[in-house]
Amino acid sequence: MGMWFIGAVALGLAGYALYLAGLRRHLVEPNRASWLIWSSATGIEAATYAAVNPGAPQATIFALSALACILVTLVMWRRSRWRAPDAGESLCMGAALAALLLWVAFREAFWAHLLVVAAVPVSFWPTWRSVWEDAERERSPAWGLWTMGDLATLIVAMRNPGGGAGEYVYVFVELLCHASIWLMIGLPSINPLRSLGRAVGPLQIRDAHIPRGNPFAIRENHLGKAVYATRGFAEGSRIIRFSGPSVPAARVPAALAGPADRFVQIAADTYLGPSGRIDDLINHSCAPNAGLRFSAHGVFLIAIRAIAPGEEIAWDYSTTLADPDWRMPCACGAPACRGVVAHFGTLPADRRAWYLERGLVAPHLIPREARAA
């Protein structure tokens, strides 16, 4: 029992440590709703399992997993932005909340335990859907380690019988869910080096949204570092998602310029801070080939015309700027270079209309009548 118990704890914690490493390097892009549910559900599960099966060693495993799960969720929360949950995510949140009420209000540990068991596969649905769309979002060795840790936990439970087969249900369901993600992202992902990435200077060049090879190259031009396409992008195609922590406008450092200014305004009083990823290096152009498009799922750089391999990728910074005091000298080299990059209102009327018609303007800059339309 001691060996399996130690193995279950070690595998689980190693999985969380490697997942955190990948998260900090932006090599995974987890679903926030799933982790929010897991962090609450694992805490409820640890408490209810201990109540239903007092003294069971696997309850300690669940408690450690709950603490680690909460830590991952807190780190993730600081690095991303909230969006409204969809119907499936809301259903799962409701199930977790119902379990919590049963446990706290009525002390119904057994039924709360079973309700959490039912909530587990529902909570995996957003992650299954995300991985189905792009396996790179979750390609971490953590899933393999969690699967093996669940198997060790199941063996611990079977070697210490007490409450009958019903007490194995949670472990078995979690084992199947973790194993399903591991199969979807690929069994070779167990390689721990996948969570460490590969760096060029201070920047990580691996990206969670790059399914096959790296479509970008970092090179030097007359402005310094710049991002170039290594493959073609069709007009309207999604190039990359902009990320970084949300920063209130009052906390954005004043008098930033040049490479230090990696802040992108996304709302009247909110900016995206530096992400440490390749999106920090994409330059401005007064005649851009890309533009930012805002949606409920994030901020994406979109090709506004066909981009050929070897061409620098650039967008117009003015399409997000509302600060009347912000100015940046421009030397983009475009034939119609404006000389100064400033807030959206400084653009010529026809240029503003052009960006608005194509949905390439931050929501806080869209005129009220255009929003109503």
Side-chain angles (χ1 to χ4, degrees), residues 107-169:
R107 313 302 291 179
E108 288 285 350
F110 177 75
W111 290 108
H113 169 75
L114 290 184
L115 193 53
V116 172
V117 171
V120 169
V122 181
S123 69
F124 269 83
W125 169 250
T127 297
W128 281 325
R129 185 176 57 191
S130 178
V131 173
W132 182 259
E133 293 172 354
D134 185 356
E136 287 294 326
R137 290 173 177 161
E138 291 286 354
R139 192 156 283 162
S140 167
W143 294 101
L145 294 174
W146 289 330
T147 301
M148 292 186 286
D150 289 340
L151 183 58
T153 303
L154 186 60
I155 293 173
V156 169
M158 294 177 68
R159 290 168 67 93
N160 293 271
E167 71 178 76
Y168 310 142
V169 174

Short mmCIF file of all heavy atoms in Angstrom, two decimals, residues 107-169:
data_model
loop_
_atom_site.label_atom_id
_atom_site.label_comp_id
_atom_site.label_asym_id
_atom_site.label_seq_id
_atom_site.Cartn_x
_atom_site.Cartn_y
_atom_site.Cartn_z
N ARG A 107 -25.26 18.61 4.99
CA ARG A 107 -24.28 17.60 5.43
C ARG A 107 -24.58 16.23 4.84
O ARG A 107 -24.29 15.20 5.45
CB ARG A 107 -24.24 17.51 6.97
CG ARG A 107 -24.16 18.85 7.67
CD ARG A 107 -22.94 19.64 7.25
NE ARG A 107 -21.69 19.06 7.71
CZ ARG A 107 -20.49 19.56 7.45
NH1 ARG A 107 -20.40 20.65 6.70
NH2 ARG A 107 -19.41 18.98 7.91
N GLU A 108 -25.12 16.24 3.62
CA GLU A 108 -25.41 14.98 2.93
C GLU A 108 -24.17 14.56 2.16
O GLU A 108 -24.07 14.71 0.93
CB GLU A 108 -26.61 15.16 1.98
CG GLU A 108 -27.94 15.28 2.68
CD GLU A 108 -28.43 13.94 3.22
OE1 GLU A 108 -27.81 12.90 2.88
OE2 GLU A 108 -29.40 13.94 3.98
N ALA A 109 -23.20 14.01 2.85
CA ALA A 109 -21.91 13.70 2.24
C ALA A 109 -22.04 12.66 1.13
O ALA A 109 -21.42 12.78 0.07
CB ALA A 109 -20.94 13.20 3.31
N PHE A 110 -22.84 11.62 1.34
CA PHE A 110 -22.92 10.54 0.36
C PHE A 110 -23.49 11.04 -0.97
O PHE A 110 -22.91 10.80 -2.04
CB PHE A 110 -23.80 9.41 0.90
CG PHE A 110 -23.98 8.28 -0.08
CD1 PHE A 110 -22.96 7.37 -0.33
CD2 PHE A 110 -25.17 8.14 -0.78
CE1 PHE A 110 -23.13 6.35 -1.24
CE2 PHE A 110 -25.34 7.11 -1.69
CZ PHE A 110 -24.32 6.21 -1.92
N TRP A 111 -24.62 11.78 -0.92
CA TRP A 111 -25.23 12.25 -2.15
C TRP A 111 -24.41 13.36 -2.80
O TRP A 111 -24.35 13.46 -4.04
CB TRP A 111 -26.66 12.72 -1.89
CG TRP A 111 -27.57 11.58 -1.57
CD1 TRP A 111 -28.12 11.28 -0.36
CD2 TRP A 111 -28.00 10.56 -2.46
NE1 TRP A 111 -28.87 10.14 -0.43
CE2 TRP A 111 -28.82 9.67 -1.72
CE3 TRP A 111 -27.79 10.29 -3.82
CZ2 TRP A 111 -29.41 8.56 -2.28
CZ3 TRP A 111 -28.38 9.18 -4.39
CH2 TRP A 111 -29.18 8.33 -3.64
N ALA A 112 -23.77 14.18 -1.98
CA ALA A 112 -22.87 15.19 -2.54
C ALA A 112 -21.72 14.51 -3.26
O ALA A 112 -21.29 14.95 -4.34
CB ALA A 112 -22.34 16.10 -1.43
N HIS A 113 -21.21 13.44 -2.69
CA HIS A 113 -20.12 12.67 -3.31
C HIS A 113 -20.55 12.13 -4.67
O HIS A 113 -19.84 12.27 -5.67
CB HIS A 113 -19.72 11.53 -2.37
CG HIS A 113 -18.80 10.53 -2.98
ND1 HIS A 113 -17.47 10.78 -3.20
CD2 HIS A 113 -19.03 9.27 -3.44
CE1 HIS A 113 -16.91 9.71 -3.76
NE2 HIS A 113 -17.83 8.79 -3.91
N LEU A 114 -21.74 11.54 -4.73
CA LEU A 114 -22.22 10.98 -6.00
C LEU A 114 -22.48 12.08 -7.03
O LEU A 114 -22.24 11.88 -8.23
CB LEU A 114 -23.50 10.17 -5.76
CG LEU A 114 -23.33 8.85 -4.99
CD1 LEU A 114 -24.66 8.12 -4.92
CD2 LEU A 114 -22.28 7.95 -5.64
N LEU A 115 -22.96 13.24 -6.58
CA LEU A 115 -23.22 14.32 -7.51
C LEU A 115 -21.91 14.85 -8.11
O LEU A 115 -21.85 15.19 -9.30
CB LEU A 115 -23.97 15.45 -6.80
CG LEU A 115 -24.59 16.52 -7.70
CD1 LEU A 115 -25.47 15.91 -8.77
CD2 LEU A 115 -25.38 17.52 -6.86
N VAL A 116 -20.86 14.91 -7.31
CA VAL A 116 -19.56 15.32 -7.83
C VAL A 116 -19.05 14.30 -8.85
O VAL A 116 -18.47 14.66 -9.87
CB VAL A 116 -18.55 15.51 -6.69
CG1 VAL A 116 -17.14 15.75 -7.23
CG2 VAL A 116 -18.94 16.68 -5.81
N VAL A 117 -19.27 13.01 -8.56
CA VAL A 117 -18.87 11.97 -9.51
C VAL A 117 -19.56 12.20 -10.85
O VAL A 117 -18.95 12.10 -11.92
CB VAL A 117 -19.23 10.57 -8.96
CG1 VAL A 117 -19.03 9.50 -10.04
CG2 VAL A 117 -18.39 10.24 -7.74
N ALA A 118 -20.85 12.54 -10.82
CA ALA A 118 -21.59 12.79 -12.07
C ALA A 118 -21.09 14.05 -12.76
O ALA A 118 -21.12 14.14 -13.99
CB ALA A 118 -23.08 12.91 -11.76
N ALA A 119 -20.62 15.02 -11.97
CA ALA A 119 -20.17 16.29 -12.56
C ALA A 119 -18.84 16.16 -13.27
O ALA A 119 -18.52 16.97 -14.15
CB ALA A 119 -20.08 17.36 -11.48
N VAL A 120 -18.03 15.16 -12.91
CA VAL A 120 -16.68 15.04 -13.48
C VAL A 120 -16.70 14.93 -15.00
O VAL A 120 -16.05 15.72 -15.69
CB VAL A 120 -15.91 13.87 -12.83
CG1 VAL A 120 -14.63 13.57 -13.62
CG2 VAL A 120 -15.56 14.19 -11.39
N PRO A 121 -17.41 13.94 -15.59
CA PRO A 121 -17.38 13.87 -17.06
C PRO A 121 -18.00 15.09 -17.73
O PRO A 121 -17.59 15.48 -18.83
CB PRO A 121 -18.18 12.59 -17.38
CG PRO A 121 -18.98 12.32 -16.16
CD PRO A 121 -18.19 12.83 -15.00
N VAL A 122 -19.00 15.71 -17.08
CA VAL A 122 -19.58 16.92 -17.66
C VAL A 122 -18.54 18.03 -17.69
O VAL A 122 -18.43 18.79 -18.65
CB VAL A 122 -20.81 17.36 -16.85
CG1 VAL A 122 -21.43 18.61 -17.47
CG2 VAL A 122 -21.85 16.25 -16.81
N SER A 123 -17.73 18.12 -16.63
CA SER A 123 -16.72 19.18 -16.56
C SER A 123 -15.62 18.99 -17.60
O SER A 123 -14.94 19.95 -17.96
CB SER A 123 -16.09 19.22 -15.16
OG SER A 123 -15.29 18.08 -14.91
N PHE A 124 -15.44 17.76 -18.07
CA PHE A 124 -14.43 17.51 -19.08
C PHE A 124 -14.91 17.89 -20.48
O PHE A 124 -14.09 17.99 -21.40
CB PHE A 124 -14.01 16.03 -19.08
CG PHE A 124 -12.84 15.74 -18.19
CD1 PHE A 124 -13.01 15.54 -16.83
CD2 PHE A 124 -11.56 15.67 -18.71
CE1 PHE A 124 -11.94 15.28 -16.00
CE2 PHE A 124 -10.47 15.41 -17.89
CZ PHE A 124 -10.66 15.21 -16.52
N TRP A 125 -16.21 18.12 -20.65
CA TRP A 125 -16.72 18.38 -21.98
C TRP A 125 -16.06 19.59 -22.64
O TRP A 125 -15.65 19.51 -23.80
CB TRP A 125 -18.24 18.54 -21.94
CG TRP A 125 -18.80 19.06 -23.22
CD1 TRP A 125 -19.34 20.28 -23.46
CD2 TRP A 125 -18.82 18.38 -24.48
NE1 TRP A 125 -19.72 20.42 -24.77
CE2 TRP A 125 -19.41 19.26 -25.43
CE3 TRP A 125 -18.42 17.12 -24.90
CZ2 TRP A 125 -19.59 18.91 -26.75
CZ3 TRP A 125 -18.60 16.77 -26.23
CH2 TRP A 125 -19.18 17.64 -27.14
N PRO A 126 -15.93 20.76 -21.96
CA PRO A 126 -15.27 21.89 -22.63
C PRO A 126 -13.84 21.57 -23.04
O PRO A 126 -13.38 22.02 -24.11
CB PRO A 126 -15.30 23.00 -21.56
CG PRO A 126 -16.43 22.63 -20.66
CD PRO A 126 -16.42 21.14 -20.63
N THR A 127 -13.13 20.79 -22.24
CA THR A 127 -11.75 20.44 -22.58
C THR A 127 -11.71 19.44 -23.74
O THR A 127 -10.88 19.55 -24.64
CB THR A 127 -11.02 19.87 -21.35
OG1 THR A 127 -10.95 20.89 -20.35
CG2 THR A 127 -9.61 19.43 -21.69
N TRP A 128 -12.61 18.48 -23.74
CA TRP A 128 -12.68 17.55 -24.88
C TRP A 128 -12.93 18.32 -26.17
O TRP A 128 -12.30 18.07 -27.20
CB TRP A 128 -13.82 16.54 -24.67
CG TRP A 128 -13.48 15.41 -23.74
CD1 TRP A 128 -12.28 14.80 -23.59
CD2 TRP A 128 -14.39 14.76 -22.83
NE1 TRP A 128 -12.36 13.82 -22.63
CE2 TRP A 128 -13.65 13.77 -22.16
CE3 TRP A 128 -15.72 14.92 -22.51
CZ2 TRP A 128 -14.21 12.94 -21.20
CZ3 TRP A 128 -16.29 14.10 -21.56
CH2 TRP A 128 -15.55 13.12 -20.92
N ARG A 129 -13.85 19.26 -26.13
CA ARG A 129 -14.19 20.04 -27.31
C ARG A 129 -12.99 20.88 -27.76
O ARG A 129 -12.70 20.97 -28.96
CB ARG A 129 -15.38 20.95 -26.99
CG ARG A 129 -15.90 21.74 -28.18
CD ARG A 129 -17.13 22.53 -27.78
NE ARG A 129 -16.85 23.41 -26.66
CZ ARG A 129 -17.80 24.05 -25.98
NH1 ARG A 129 -19.07 23.91 -26.30
NH2 ARG A 129 -17.48 24.85 -24.98
N SER A 130 -12.29 21.48 -26.80
CA SER A 130 -11.12 22.30 -27.12
C SER A 130 -10.02 21.46 -27.75
O SER A 130 -9.40 21.86 -28.73
CB SER A 130 -10.62 22.98 -25.84
OG SER A 130 -9.47 23.74 -26.09
N VAL A 131 -9.77 20.27 -27.20
CA VAL A 131 -8.72 19.40 -27.73
C VAL A 131 -9.11 18.86 -29.10
O VAL A 131 -8.25 18.68 -29.97
CB VAL A 131 -8.44 18.24 -26.74
CG1 VAL A 131 -7.48 17.22 -27.33
CG2 VAL A 131 -7.86 18.80 -25.44
N TRP A 132 -10.39 18.60 -29.30
CA TRP A 132 -10.83 18.12 -30.61
C TRP A 132 -10.55 19.17 -31.69
O TRP A 132 -10.16 18.84 -32.81
CB TRP A 132 -12.33 17.80 -30.57
CG TRP A 132 -12.87 17.27 -31.85
CD1 TRP A 132 -13.58 17.94 -32.81
CD2 TRP A 132 -12.75 15.93 -32.35
NE1 TRP A 132 -13.90 17.13 -33.85
CE2 TRP A 132 -13.41 15.87 -33.60
CE3 TRP A 132 -12.16 14.77 -31.85
CZ2 TRP A 132 -13.48 14.71 -34.36
CZ3 TRP A 132 -12.24 13.60 -32.59
CH2 TRP A 132 -12.89 13.58 -33.83
N GLU A 133 -10.72 20.46 -31.33
CA GLU A 133 -10.44 21.53 -32.28
C GLU A 133 -8.95 21.70 -32.53
O GLU A 133 -8.53 21.97 -33.65
CB GLU A 133 -11.01 22.85 -31.75
CG GLU A 133 -12.54 22.87 -31.69
CD GLU A 133 -13.07 24.11 -31.00
OE1 GLU A 133 -12.23 24.89 -30.46
OE2 GLU A 133 -14.29 24.30 -30.97
N ASP A 134 -8.14 21.54 -31.49
CA ASP A 134 -6.69 21.74 -31.61
C ASP A 134 -6.01 21.03 -30.46
O ASP A 134 -6.01 21.51 -29.32
CB ASP A 134 -6.36 23.23 -31.60
CG ASP A 134 -4.87 23.51 -31.84
OD1 ASP A 134 -4.11 22.54 -31.96
OD2 ASP A 134 -4.49 24.68 -31.92
N ALA A 135 -5.40 19.88 -30.74
CA ALA A 135 -4.76 19.07 -29.69
C ALA A 135 -3.60 19.79 -29.02
O ALA A 135 -3.26 19.48 -27.87
CB ALA A 135 -4.30 17.73 -30.27
N GLU A 136 -2.99 20.76 -29.71
CA GLU A 136 -1.84 21.46 -29.13
C GLU A 136 -2.21 22.27 -27.89
O GLU A 136 -1.35 22.60 -27.10
CB GLU A 136 -1.22 22.40 -30.18
CG GLU A 136 -0.45 21.69 -31.27
CD GLU A 136 0.78 20.98 -30.75
OE1 GLU A 136 1.40 21.49 -29.79
OE2 GLU A 136 1.12 19.92 -31.27
N ARG A 137 -3.48 22.59 -27.72
CA ARG A 137 -3.89 23.38 -26.57
C ARG A 137 -3.62 22.65 -25.25
O ARG A 137 -3.47 23.28 -24.22
CB ARG A 137 -5.38 23.70 -26.66
CG ARG A 137 -5.72 24.69 -27.76
CD ARG A 137 -7.21 24.83 -27.92
NE ARG A 137 -7.54 25.83 -28.93
CZ ARG A 137 -8.71 25.92 -29.54
NH1 ARG A 137 -9.67 25.08 -29.22
NH2 ARG A 137 -8.92 26.85 -30.44
N GLU A 138 -3.60 21.32 -25.28
CA GLU A 138 -3.43 20.55 -24.04
C GLU A 138 -2.32 19.52 -24.15
O GLU A 138 -2.26 18.61 -23.33
CB GLU A 138 -4.75 19.84 -23.68
CG GLU A 138 -5.87 20.75 -23.25
CD GLU A 138 -5.68 21.32 -21.85
OE1 GLU A 138 -4.72 20.92 -21.16
OE2 GLU A 138 -6.49 22.17 -21.44
N ARG A 139 -1.43 19.68 -25.11
CA ARG A 139 -0.40 18.65 -25.30
C ARG A 139 0.68 18.79 -24.23
O ARG A 139 1.71 19.42 -24.41
CB ARG A 139 0.18 18.73 -26.70
CG ARG A 139 1.03 17.52 -27.06
CD ARG A 139 1.11 17.33 -28.56
NE ARG A 139 -0.12 16.76 -29.09
CZ ARG A 139 -0.47 16.81 -30.37
NH1 ARG A 139 0.28 17.44 -31.23
NH2 ARG A 139 -1.59 16.24 -30.77
N SER A 140 0.42 18.16 -23.10
CA SER A 140 1.30 18.22 -21.93
C SER A 140 1.48 16.81 -21.37
O SER A 140 0.53 16.00 -21.40
CB SER A 140 0.69 19.13 -20.86
OG SER A 140 1.35 18.98 -19.63
N PRO A 141 2.66 16.51 -20.83
CA PRO A 141 2.86 15.19 -20.20
C PRO A 141 2.01 15.01 -18.95
O PRO A 141 1.88 13.89 -18.44
CB PRO A 141 4.35 15.19 -19.86
CG PRO A 141 4.74 16.62 -19.81
CD PRO A 141 3.88 17.32 -20.82
N ALA A 142 1.43 16.10 -18.45
CA ALA A 142 0.64 16.01 -17.23
C ALA A 142 -0.51 15.00 -17.37
O ALA A 142 -0.83 14.28 -16.42
CB ALA A 142 0.09 17.39 -16.87
N TRP A 143 -1.13 14.95 -18.56
CA TRP A 143 -2.29 14.06 -18.72
C TRP A 143 -1.90 12.59 -18.57
O TRP A 143 -2.65 11.80 -17.99
CB TRP A 143 -2.95 14.31 -20.07
CG TRP A 143 -3.56 15.67 -20.14
CD1 TRP A 143 -3.05 16.78 -20.76
CD2 TRP A 143 -4.77 16.10 -19.52
NE1 TRP A 143 -3.86 17.87 -20.57
CE2 TRP A 143 -4.93 17.48 -19.82
CE3 TRP A 143 -5.75 15.45 -18.76
CZ2 TRP A 143 -6.03 18.22 -19.37
CZ3 TRP A 143 -6.84 16.18 -18.32
CH2 TRP A 143 -6.97 17.54 -18.62
N GLY A 144 -0.73 12.23 -19.06
CA GLY A 144 -0.25 10.86 -18.87
C GLY A 144 0.06 10.58 -17.41
O GLY A 144 -0.25 9.50 -16.88
N LEU A 145 0.69 11.54 -16.73
CA LEU A 145 1.03 11.36 -15.32
C LEU A 145 -0.23 11.28 -14.47
O LEU A 145 -0.32 10.46 -13.54
CB LEU A 145 1.91 12.51 -14.85
CG LEU A 145 3.30 12.58 -15.49
CD1 LEU A 145 4.03 13.85 -15.06
CD2 LEU A 145 4.13 11.36 -15.13
N TRP A 146 -1.23 12.11 -14.77
CA TRP A 146 -2.49 12.05 -14.01
C TRP A 146 -3.20 10.71 -14.24
O TRP A 146 -3.79 10.16 -13.31
CB TRP A 146 -3.40 13.19 -14.40
CG TRP A 146 -2.92 14.53 -13.93
CD1 TRP A 146 -2.18 14.78 -12.80
CD2 TRP A 146 -3.12 15.79 -14.56
NE1 TRP A 146 -1.92 16.12 -12.70
CE2 TRP A 146 -2.47 16.77 -13.77
CE3 TRP A 146 -3.77 16.20 -15.72
CZ2 TRP A 146 -2.48 18.13 -14.09
CZ3 TRP A 146 -3.78 17.55 -16.05
CH2 TRP A 146 -3.14 18.49 -15.24
N THR A 147 -3.14 10.21 -15.46
CA THR A 147 -3.77 8.91 -15.75
C THR A 147 -3.12 7.81 -14.93
O THR A 147 -3.81 6.99 -14.29
CB THR A 147 -3.66 8.59 -17.25
OG1 THR A 147 -4.30 9.61 -18.01
CG2 THR A 147 -4.29 7.24 -17.56
N MET A 148 -1.78 7.78 -14.92
CA MET A 148 -1.08 6.75 -14.15
C MET A 148 -1.28 6.96 -12.65
O MET A 148 -1.36 6.00 -11.87
CB MET A 148 0.40 6.75 -14.52
CG MET A 148 0.65 6.28 -15.95
SD MET A 148 2.39 6.09 -16.36
CE MET A 148 2.86 7.82 -16.53
N GLY A 149 -1.36 8.23 -12.23
CA GLY A 149 -1.64 8.51 -10.83
C GLY A 149 -3.02 8.02 -10.41
O GLY A 149 -3.21 7.49 -9.31
N ASP A 150 -4.02 8.19 -11.30
CA ASP A 150 -5.37 7.68 -11.02
C ASP A 150 -5.36 6.16 -10.89
O ASP A 150 -6.05 5.59 -10.03
CB ASP A 150 -6.33 8.08 -12.13
CG ASP A 150 -6.64 9.57 -12.13
OD1 ASP A 150 -6.43 10.21 -11.08
OD2 ASP A 150 -7.06 10.08 -13.18
N LEU A 151 -4.58 5.50 -11.77
CA LEU A 151 -4.50 4.05 -11.72
C LEU A 151 -3.89 3.60 -10.38
O LEU A 151 -4.38 2.66 -9.74
CB LEU A 151 -3.65 3.53 -12.89
CG LEU A 151 -3.51 2.02 -13.01
CD1 LEU A 151 -4.87 1.35 -13.14
CD2 LEU A 151 -2.62 1.66 -14.19
N ALA A 152 -2.84 4.30 -9.93
CA ALA A 152 -2.23 3.97 -8.65
C ALA A 152 -3.21 4.23 -7.50
O ALA A 152 -3.28 3.45 -6.54
CB ALA A 152 -0.96 4.79 -8.45
N THR A 153 -3.99 5.32 -7.61
CA THR A 153 -4.99 5.62 -6.58
C THR A 153 -6.07 4.54 -6.53
O THR A 153 -6.53 4.14 -5.45
CB THR A 153 -5.65 6.98 -6.85
OG1 THR A 153 -4.63 7.98 -6.91
CG2 THR A 153 -6.64 7.34 -5.76
N LEU A 154 -6.48 4.05 -7.71
CA LEU A 154 -7.48 2.98 -7.76
C LEU A 154 -6.95 1.72 -7.08
O LEU A 154 -7.68 1.04 -6.35
CB LEU A 154 -7.84 2.70 -9.21
CG LEU A 154 -8.98 1.70 -9.46
CD1 LEU A 154 -10.27 2.18 -8.82
CD2 LEU A 154 -9.18 1.48 -10.96
N ILE A 155 -5.68 1.42 -7.30
CA ILE A 155 -5.07 0.25 -6.64
C ILE A 155 -5.03 0.45 -5.14
O ILE A 155 -5.30 -0.48 -4.36
CB ILE A 155 -3.66 -0.01 -7.21
CG1 ILE A 155 -3.76 -0.43 -8.68
CG2 ILE A 155 -2.92 -1.06 -6.40
CD1 ILE A 155 -2.44 -0.55 -9.40
N VAL A 156 -4.71 1.67 -4.68
CA VAL A 156 -4.72 1.96 -3.24
C VAL A 156 -6.11 1.71 -2.67
O VAL A 156 -6.25 1.08 -1.60
CB VAL A 156 -4.29 3.43 -2.99
CG1 VAL A 156 -4.55 3.82 -1.53
CG2 VAL A 156 -2.82 3.62 -3.31
N ALA A 157 -7.16 2.19 -3.38
CA ALA A 157 -8.53 2.00 -2.89
C ALA A 157 -8.90 0.53 -2.85
O ALA A 157 -9.56 0.07 -1.89
CB ALA A 157 -9.50 2.77 -3.79
N MET A 158 -8.51 -0.25 -3.85
CA MET A 158 -8.87 -1.67 -3.90
C MET A 158 -8.12 -2.48 -2.86
O MET A 158 -8.62 -3.50 -2.38
CB MET A 158 -8.57 -2.20 -5.31
CG MET A 158 -9.45 -1.60 -6.39
SD MET A 158 -9.05 -2.16 -8.06
CE MET A 158 -9.54 -3.88 -7.94
N ARG A 159 -6.94 -2.02 -2.47
CA ARG A 159 -6.17 -2.73 -1.45
C ARG A 159 -6.58 -2.35 -0.04
O ARG A 159 -6.10 -2.93 0.92
CB ARG A 159 -4.68 -2.44 -1.65
CG ARG A 159 -4.10 -3.08 -2.91
CD ARG A 159 -2.73 -2.54 -3.22
NE ARG A 159 -1.74 -2.93 -2.22
CZ ARG A 159 -0.96 -4.01 -2.30
NH1 ARG A 159 -1.05 -4.82 -3.35
NH2 ARG A 159 -0.08 -4.29 -1.36
N ASN A 160 -7.47 -1.33 0.05
CA ASN A 160 -7.96 -0.92 1.36
C ASN A 160 -9.48 -0.84 1.33
O ASN A 160 -10.06 0.24 1.43
CB ASN A 160 -7.38 0.44 1.74
CG ASN A 160 -5.88 0.40 1.96
OD1 ASN A 160 -5.42 0.13 3.07
ND2 ASN A 160 -5.13 0.65 0.90
N PRO A 161 -10.15 -1.99 1.14
CA PRO A 161 -11.60 -1.98 1.00
C PRO A 161 -12.27 -1.53 2.30
O PRO A 161 -11.75 -1.71 3.38
CB PRO A 161 -11.93 -3.44 0.67
CG PRO A 161 -10.81 -4.22 1.28
CD PRO A 161 -9.60 -3.35 1.15
N GLY A 162 -13.46 -0.94 2.12
CA GLY A 162 -14.19 -0.51 3.31
C GLY A 162 -15.61 -0.16 2.97
O GLY A 162 -16.54 -0.58 3.64
N GLY A 163 -15.79 0.62 1.92
CA GLY A 163 -17.12 1.12 1.59
C GLY A 163 -17.75 0.43 0.40
O GLY A 163 -18.76 0.90 -0.10
N GLY A 164 -17.16 -0.65 -0.09
CA GLY A 164 -17.73 -1.33 -1.23
C GLY A 164 -17.28 -0.72 -2.55
O GLY A 164 -16.53 0.25 -2.60
N ALA A 165 -17.80 -1.31 -3.64
CA ALA A 165 -17.36 -0.88 -4.97
C ALA A 165 -17.73 0.56 -5.27
O ALA A 165 -17.08 1.22 -6.09
CB ALA A 165 -17.98 -1.81 -6.03
N GLY A 166 -18.76 1.10 -4.60
CA GLY A 166 -19.18 2.46 -4.86
C GLY A 166 -18.10 3.49 -4.60
O GLY A 166 -18.09 4.54 -5.23
N GLU A 167 -17.17 3.20 -3.69
CA GLU A 167 -16.14 4.18 -3.38
C GLU A 167 -15.09 4.27 -4.48
O GLU A 167 -14.27 5.19 -4.49
CB GLU A 167 -15.47 3.85 -2.05
CG GLU A 167 -14.57 2.62 -2.08
CD GLU A 167 -13.90 2.39 -0.75
OE1 GLU A 167 -14.55 1.91 0.18
OE2 GLU A 167 -12.68 2.67 -0.65
N TYR A 168 -15.09 3.31 -5.43
CA TYR A 168 -14.11 3.35 -6.52
C TYR A 168 -14.60 4.17 -7.71
O TYR A 168 -13.82 4.44 -8.63
CB TYR A 168 -13.80 1.93 -7.02
CG TYR A 168 -13.46 0.93 -5.94
CD1 TYR A 168 -13.90 -0.39 -6.03
CD2 TYR A 168 -12.70 1.30 -4.84
CE1 TYR A 168 -13.59 -1.32 -5.06
CE2 TYR A 168 -12.40 0.38 -3.86
CZ TYR A 168 -12.85 -0.93 -3.97
OH TYR A 168 -12.53 -1.84 -3.00
N VAL A 169 -15.88 4.52 -7.70
CA VAL A 169 -16.48 5.12 -8.90
C VAL A 169 -15.78 6.42 -9.28
O VAL A 169 -15.43 6.64 -10.45
CB VAL A 169 -17.99 5.36 -8.69
CG1 VAL A 169 -18.57 6.12 -9.87
CG2 VAL A 169 -18.70 4.03 -8.51
#
